[in-house]
Amino acid sequence: MSLMVLLKLLGSLALLMFGMKAMSESLQKMAGPQLRHVLGAMTTNRFSGMLTGMFVTAAVQSSTATTLMTVSFVNAGMLTLVQAISVIMGAHIGTTITAWIMALDFGFNIGNYVWIAFFIGIILIYMKRHRVGGDFLFGIAFLFLGLTTLRETSFELVTSDANGVLQAFFARFNDLTIWNSLLFLLIGTVLTLCVQSSAAIMAMTMTLCATGIIPIEQGVMLVLGENVGTTITSNIAAMSANTQARRAAFAHLSINVIGVVWVMLLLKPFFGAVCSIVGFDVAMPYSDSAYPLKVSVVLAAFHTAFNLLNTLLLIGFVPQIEQFVCRVIAPTKVDEDEEDSKLQFITGGMLETPELSLLAAQKEISAFGRRMAKMFGICKALLELKNEDFAKQYTRIQKYEAISDNMEIEIAKYLDEVSEARLSPESKDKTRSMLRQISELESIGDSCFNIARTINRKLAGNEHFTDSQKQHMHQMFTLVDASIEQMNRLLSGRKSQFDINRSYNIEHEINNYRNQLRSQNILDIDKHQYNYAIGTMYMDVISECEKIGDYIVNVVQARMGKK
């Protein structure tokens, strides 16, 4: 084997992988918002979930992309585990179209026509409005160019292999024993795990079988291994996600492993039935000119039959699969504050499309708002606590202040990563809005911490608020609570259903009440109802509450797209 042939083989494989990635990403960009709404609306039954997963995967040409989106939606609480399992099952069917596209290239040399796609693609790329369409054409052109080059290089490799070294190596494993079959199953799994692309390994499998290097019987074992290997990606991505997301990823693995087990038990009759349907004779000689096309069709048909039958067999056992993965992956018990210190929705890194990534970021911002509501609730409790109870809750406030700082930094980093992708003007506006939201939410945390420090200073100085002051502070807390509730309703809901005037009205009430209390405070100090020191601390608490009201309005305006 010459070095040049080897490099050409590796390069064609890289070209194939790049083409698949570019084509999938461009399709997702074109259909990003629609994919989000389609997957997000999965609230009916397991059969509609299966159909959704099938059509979405067929559209984006990547079961990995669909599975990662599904896992991220489970992580974000937008899909239940049962819904996710049915979507993943459908993705297994949708991904089989890729194999048929590859089989098509063995019967019709599409590589001769990719140059037209390149030419049209570059024109569309320079037309900024159609840039994504150009990316798609480039992706599909690279895909078929890689396939054609891989096939031609493989045939060149076989014909140049005068000593039969390559055939001799694989011939050692051509006996159809259970151990050889398991070996090829393992090879398919490991290769897919390493390359992170079942489509690329499927192309290699078709090429190896079409050139006669390995028999078709071992080729189907590679196909089964690819089905197991492709599930590893989602499990890796879910490692840092929440419990439900890890369960969804594990269900993906379990479904394919179950399928491989029953297919191996019925391999001979199952494979024979597939060959009979497509009209393939296993005794067909490699030298036959029709052999490459026939064998690639058999592999594509086997891949489709396996995933289709496995899904149809298991779709009725989704509740049982859910129970199984829930037993295997038990929820971890963590301290409430420790749980709040972790990001929930963007832990797995940037998603496949900017639109989905921005959705995950908005879910994280919504969680940020809920944490700030909890932090303000602790502040209110501090007013009535003393000694050890106060020290414990004051420590919690300090933790939450650190949490708010960290959340702002981490979400900002994530949004910065998303902004590096090519974003539409609307997505750029969303990114700027989110950056403003997290800055204002972090300021709410700062004000809550300032309230806690003021109360702590009051206790350290052995000062006491009067009953009247406490009553006024509780009234102010009630107004701020109402404002926070409105903000969180907006952050977790739809902008079109939100009345911003309600937030404006509450903010005006807070301002007016602060002004009223400020004037009353001066009069009360003059009347010696309390000393100047306690009056200053009292107004510090009131002023911080008023600041929180301003920050909340800023969050609302940013979310609503107002300056």
Side-chain angles (χ1 to χ4, degrees):
M1 183 191 303
S2 67
L3 178 62
M4 186 56 66
V5 173
L6 176 61
L7 291 176
K8 192 175 179 182
L9 196 67
L10 294 174
S12 60
L13 182 60
L15 197 62
L16 168 70
M17 293 172 62
F18 177 78
M20 280 296 302
K21 185 175 186 294
M23 184 179 70
S24 177
E25 287 181 353
S26 59
L27 282 168
Q28 290 174 65
K29 286 175 184 176
M30 287 189 284
Q34 288 75 18
L35 292 179
R36 181 184 71 191
H37 294 311
V38 167
L39 282 175
M42 275 312 310
T43 55
T44 51
N45 57 64
R46 71 191 75 164
F47 296 101
S48 62
M50 179 190 71
L51 292 174
T52 300
M54 182 174 66
F55 288 121
V56 168
T57 304
V60 301
Q61 284 298 294
S62 174
S63 62
T64 300
T66 304
T67 304
L68 288 177
M69 281 191 283
T70 303
V71 169
S72 67
F73 275 32
V74 173
N75 193 48
M78 296 179 63
L79 288 178
T80 65
L81 184 56
V82 169
Q83 291 168 335
I85 293 172
S86 61
V87 171
I88 290 169
M89 285 181 172
H92 293 162
I93 300 175
T95 193
T96 61
I97 292 179
T98 307
W100 286 104
I101 293 174
M102 294 177 177
L104 175 66
D105 189 59
F106 280 86
F108 179 70
N109 196 347
I110 302 177
N112 292 333
Y113 303 92
V114 299
W115 313 110
I116 300 174
F118 279 128
F119 179 70
I120 298 174
I122 196 65
I123 293 175
L124 293 177
I125 286 175
Y126 278 101
M127 297 169 60
K128 293 185 178 179
R129 290 181 57 188
H130 304 287
R131 186 184 185 98
V132 177
D135 290 340
F136 169 72
L137 284 178
F138 259 72
I140 200 167
F142 278 126
L143 166 64
F144 283 114
L145 183 61
L147 273 173
T148 302
T149 309
L150 181 65
R151 187 185 70 246
E152 291 175 350
T153 306
S154 299
F155 279 109
E156 181 183 344
L157 178 64
V158 173
T159 56
S160 65
D161 190 20
N163 297 321
V165 176
L166 198 59
Q167 290 93 330
F169 174 78
F170 280 104
R172 297 161 55 190
F173 309 103
N174 281 353
D175 291 338
L176 301 181
T177 64
I178 184 64
W179 299 112
N180 284 342
S181 296
L182 290 175
L183 175 63
F184 276 87
L185 175 70
L186 179 62
I187 291 173
T189 302
V190 173
L191 285 177
T192 307
L193 174 60
C194 294
V195 177
Q196 292 287 294
S197 173
S198 60
I201 305 304
M202 172 63 80
M204 287 182 59
T205 303
M206 286 183 173
T207 304
L208 290 171
C209 291
T211 53
I213 294 177
I214 63 173
I216 183 66
E217 292 86 354
Q218 302 298 26
V220 297
M221 296 308 300
L222 286 176
V223 171
L224 292 177
E226 292 154 17
N227 277 272
V228 176
T230 193
T231 65
I232 306 298
T233 305
S234 58
N235 280 270
I236 293 173
M239 287 178 65
S240 58
N242 61 28
T243 301
Q244 286 295 86
R246 295 199 305 274
R247 287 170 174 170
F250 185 67
H252 185 206
L253 172 64
S254 303
I255 290 165
N256 277 3
V257 169
I258 292 171
V260 168
V261 170
W262 73 257
V263 165
M264 287 196 66
L265 293 175
L266 302 172
L267 187 58
K268 285 188 177 181
F270 184 78
F271 177 64
V274 171
C275 290
S276 177
I277 291 172
V278 300
F280 176 75
D281 184 0
V282 291
M284 187 177 188
Y286 302 138
S287 56
D288 193 313
S289 59
Y291 185 81
L293 175 60
K294 283 283 188 179
V295 77
S296 61
V297 168
V298 170
L299 290 172
F302 182 88
H303 188 222
T304 301
F306 164 71
N307 283 288
L308 181 61
L309 286 178
N310 191 46
T311 298
L312 293 178
L313 286 172
L314 296 180
I315 192 68
F317 297 95
V318 170
Q320 287 74 23
I321 295 173
E322 180 194 28
Q323 293 174 7
F324 170 70
V325 297
C326 287
R327 285 177 187 155
V328 174
I329 302 179
T332 55
K333 294 182 179 180
V334 294
D335 180 74
E336 181 182 6
D337 292 342
E338 182 183 344
E339 181 68 24
D340 277 342
S341 68
K342 300 176 181 177
L343 298 182
Q344 298 179 17
F345 307 112
I346 60 176
T347 53
M350 183 177 167
L351 300 180
E352 294 292 321
T353 63
E355 288 80 7
L356 291 171
S357 297
L358 291 177
L359 174 65
Q362 189 59 57
K363 296 287 289 185
E364 199 67 73
I365 291 172
S366 178
F368 196 171
R370 292 193 295 272
R371 286 180 174 91
M372 293 303 95
K374 188 179 293 186
M375 186 178 184
F376 185 70
I378 300 172
C379 284
K380 294 189 301 180
L382 287 177
L383 200 59
E384 306 297 337
L385 298 177
K386 295 180 181 179
N387 304 325
E388 292 182 3
D389 291 335
F390 178 88
K392 181 179 178 181
Q393 295 304 314
Y394 185 71
T395 301
R396 289 189 69 196
I397 283 287
Q398 291 175 313
K399 288 182 180 179
Y400 270 84
E401 203 277 330
I403 289 170
S404 69
D405 291 343
N406 182 65
M407 287 196 73
E408 181 189 19
I409 293 171
E410 292 300 319
I411 297 174
K413 285 181 180 179
Y414 184 77
L415 290 173
D416 183 59
E417 182 183 354
V418 174
S419 66
E420 292 179 0
R422 288 196 297 270
L423 299 175
S424 65
E426 182 185 358
S427 295
K428 288 179 180 178
D429 289 340
K430 286 181 181 179
T431 303
R432 286 191 289 268
S433 167
M434 290 178 184
L435 287 171
R436 184 182 171 196
Q437 290 173 51
I438 60 175
S439 175
E440 299 296 341
L441 285 168
E442 192 276 333
S443 296
I444 293 175
D446 290 341
S447 287
C448 288
F449 186 48
N450 289 337
I451 292 173
R453 288 197 300 178
T454 299
I455 298 174
N456 184 53
R457 191 167 73 249
K458 184 260 301 181
L459 287 178
N462 199 26
E463 301 283 356
H464 302 280
F465 290 131
T466 66
D467 291 340
S468 176
Q469 286 176 323
K470 288 182 179 180
Q471 181 181 357
H472 293 154
M473 284 188 284
H474 280 302
Q475 289 175 348
M476 178 62 87
F477 290 160
T478 300
L479 288 173
V480 175
D481 269 336
S483 187
I484 291 176
E485 181 183 354
Q486 286 293 310
M487 177 191 72
N488 284 334
R489 184 179 300 171
L490 172 62
L491 291 179
S492 60
R494 293 183 177 274
K495 294 188 292 184
S496 59
Q497 300 174 351
F498 184 77
D499 182 9
I500 195 172
N501 291 320
R502 174 61 177 157
S503 292
Y504 285 153
N505 292 338
I506 298 174
E507 199 261 343
H508 289 152
E509 287 186 60
I510 291 173
N511 289 344
N512 292 335
Y513 195 51
R514 186 275 314 270
N515 294 336
Q516 176 187 335
L517 294 179
R518 178 189 291 164
S519 300
Q520 185 65 43
N521 180 60
I522 295 174
L523 295 175
D524 290 342
I525 292 175
D526 286 342
K527 293 177 182 179
H528 303 289
Q529 293 190 12
Y530 44 79
N531 61 40
Y532 183 82
I534 195 66
T536 300
M537 287 184 277
Y538 162 62
M539 284 311 302
D540 284 345
V541 172
I542 298 298
S543 296
E544 291 298 337
C545 286
E546 189 275 332
K547 288 181 183 178
I548 291 175
D550 291 340
Y551 298 140
I552 289 172
V553 168
N554 291 341
V555 172
V556 170
Q557 289 179 331
R559 175 74 174 120
M560 295 293 289
K562 297 182 179 294
K563 302 295 184 182

